Amino acid sequence: MIDPKLRVLQLVAHHGTVTAAAQASHYTPSAVSHQLRQLAAELGVELFTQSGRGIRLTAAANTVLRHTEVLSAQAERARAELAAATDEPEGSFTLCGFSTAATHLLPPAAAALRDRYPNLTVRVIEAEPARCFDLLLAGEADLALLIATDETPPASDTRFDQHPLLDDPLDLVVPERHPLTERRTVTLADAADESWILGRPGSTYHHLVRTACTAAGFTPNIAHYADEWETGTALVAHRFGIILVPRLARLHQDWPVTRIPLRGEPAPARRILATNRLGSRERPAIATALDTITGTAAGLLPPPPRAPDSEPAGAE
């Protein structure tokens, strides 16, 4: 219902460069540039100017984007109304989300959709949060689960409808018999002098831990990078450093490590959001998926790991 060239313009505005927009939309940079020129010719305005090796959107482009957001939301509402009038929704429906969500939240939602709407083809994509927004903007996903960070579009962003699901606390994981295991309470600042294991730069996990450590008043000494919790836990078990692990993450029980809940402020947590394109929330498939995800999330968090029973003299 919306001209694909308008979605391309949205992706260019979202990413800031033709190359990044091309990667997000699976086009070549030349194809993206061609679609922008076509759109400019159809509208009779200049949409961008050259700025060094990149481009700069014009005032006319921003006007087109503003109206595109309104049109997109209205088109989504029309689809939702049409779908609600259909007894058996058909076509495809795609859920996407980061690794933990793809493990614990998306499969039950996909199963609920499959059982309730047998004529609907349901697909699940595991993707980083930034990629989830690309999939939504490109129309390649209908509902996304992601982690809120400083880089997440604000709740007021008129392209998306965002629903907070749960806050997933981050626990400190240290080697067995580490001095911090003797304390009754542990704050993030207590681990300031430790060697840290983080996700690779650019990952949501890396950004989350760095932000939490900065709020606690220190910059972590990064000794190793690991994107998988199992890899990070193995490094901790061999005394290469410590990590923060979400409460939802299940760790290998045989590793000689201790999981410690953090106290005080800031006690970092991942805020998990469900996001869809604005105007699409009333689609029966989205409503069913959201109901299932919300119900699953409500009973998902395990209790915090047991805090140590004793604390050495002089500890605060």
Side-chain angles (χ1 to χ4, degrees), residues 3-173:
D3 190 327
K5 295 188 288 295
L6 292 174
R7 293 203 182 277
V8 168
L9 180 62
Q10 284 184 308
L11 285 169
V12 171
H14 181 69
H15 288 281
T17 68
V18 167
T19 300
Q23 291 174 345
S25 59
H26 308 296
Y27 289 126
T28 64
S30 60
V32 169
S33 296
H34 177 68
Q35 291 196 58
L36 289 178
R37 287 193 295 269
Q38 275 191 320
L39 182 61
E42 291 173 10
L43 297 175
V45 296
E46 291 293 330
L47 295 176
F48 61 90
T49 58
Q50 292 299 131
S51 179
R53 295 185 177 180
I55 63 172
R56 182 174 59 83
L57 296 180
T58 64
N62 289 321
T63 298
V64 174
L65 285 167
R66 177 163 48 83
H67 286 284
T68 298
E69 291 174 8
V70 175
L71 290 170
S72 296
Q74 192 58 41
E76 292 294 341
R77 293 186 185 97
R79 288 193 183 96
E81 188 173 336
L82 291 170
T86 303
D87 293 333
E88 290 292 338
E90 299 180 349
S92 63
F93 188 90
T94 299
L95 300 148
C96 64
F98 63 100
S99 58
T100 309
T103 299
H104 298 291
L105 294 168
L106 293 186
L113 289 168
R114 177 197 60 200
D115 296 343
R116 185 164 183 177
Y117 307 116
N119 295 328
L120 192 67
T121 301
V122 182
R123 183 175 63 158
V124 173
I125 300 176
E126 181 179 338
E128 279 284 308
R131 177 59 180 154
C132 288
F133 280 111
D134 290 343
L135 292 170
L136 287 173
L137 279 175
E140 297 177 16
D142 300 286
L143 183 63
L145 299 186
L146 46 92
I147 301 167
T149 69
D150 291 343
E151 299 174 352
T152 303
S156 59
D157 192 309
T158 55
R159 297 171 298 175
F160 306 109
D161 195 359
Q162 303 186 41
H163 327 280
L165 285 176
L166 61 90
D167 288 341
D168 183 13
L170 297 181
D171 297 324
L172 190 67
V173 179

